Amino acid sequence: QVQLAESGGGSVQAGGSLRLSCAASGYAHSARNDLCMGWFRQAPGEERRVVAAIYVDGGYTYYPDSVKGRFTISQDPTKNTVYLQMNSLKPEDTAMYFCASEPTAESYCTGGFWYNLAGTWGQGTQVTVTS
């Protein structure tokens, strides 16, 4: 059974930084060949949207315009862990952040078409940015 364990998050003032971590377990080694991992966020009353994605085999990444240049996703394959470094945080970044993973094509993962419809979700971690 695939599981995602998140850590990080919290409250920070605007302009500050936070780092989220997500450790994956339960994947067979061969399954990592087409695995997309990343982070979604959801604010109250809004849809859950991807904010960063990484295709594990090759390290290709995707960011929407709203976070591009401020957020960086990275991975440590030896630990089956992905990280989300969030800099220059804004109040509008306030949301529940969810780690996600799903075997899928690289074009979906890094083309902005990944919705994790059949994948695994972490439990979520709150990020609050105060002005």
Side-chain angles (χ1 to χ4, degrees):
Q1 182 179 359
V2 177
Q3 291 185 321
L4 302 175
E6 301 159 341
S7 60
S11 182
V12 66
Q13 288 189 328
S17 299
L18 285 173
R19 189 194 197 206
L20 307 181
S21 300
C22 175
S25 62
Y27 278 113
H29 181 74
S30 59
R32 296 180 55 79
N33 293 337
D34 60 352
L35 189 63
C36 183
M37 294 190 69
W39 296 88
F40 289 70
R41 71 184 181 189
Q42 187 171 22
E46 297 185 7
E47 294 182 355
R48 190 174 296 188
R49 300 179 184 273
V50 64
V51 294
I54 187 166
Y55 198 65
V56 172
D57 186 16
Y60 307 107
T61 59
Y62 166 79
Y63 306 95
D65 289 343
S66 58
V67 306
K68 196 173 293 183
R70 301 188 297 120
F71 289 13
T72 302
I73 189 170
S74 60
Q75 63 173 339
D76 183 343
T78 64
K79 299 180 180 179
N80 291 332
T81 299
V82 295
Y83 306 95
L84 183 65
Q85 179 66 43
M86 304 183 291
N87 298 328
S88 302
L89 282 162
K90 305 175 182 180
E92 51 262 45
D93 294 318
T94 296
M96 186 71 77
Y97 284 68
F98 297 89
C99 181
S101 69
E102 182 180 22
T104 190
E106 188 268 326
S107 58
Y108 283 100
C109 181
T110 61
F113 307 113
W114 181 43
Y115 300 98
N116 200 41
L117 295 178
T120 301
W121 294 99
Q123 78 277 9
T125 185
Q126 178 68 34
V127 171
T128 302
V129 184
T130 58
S131 57

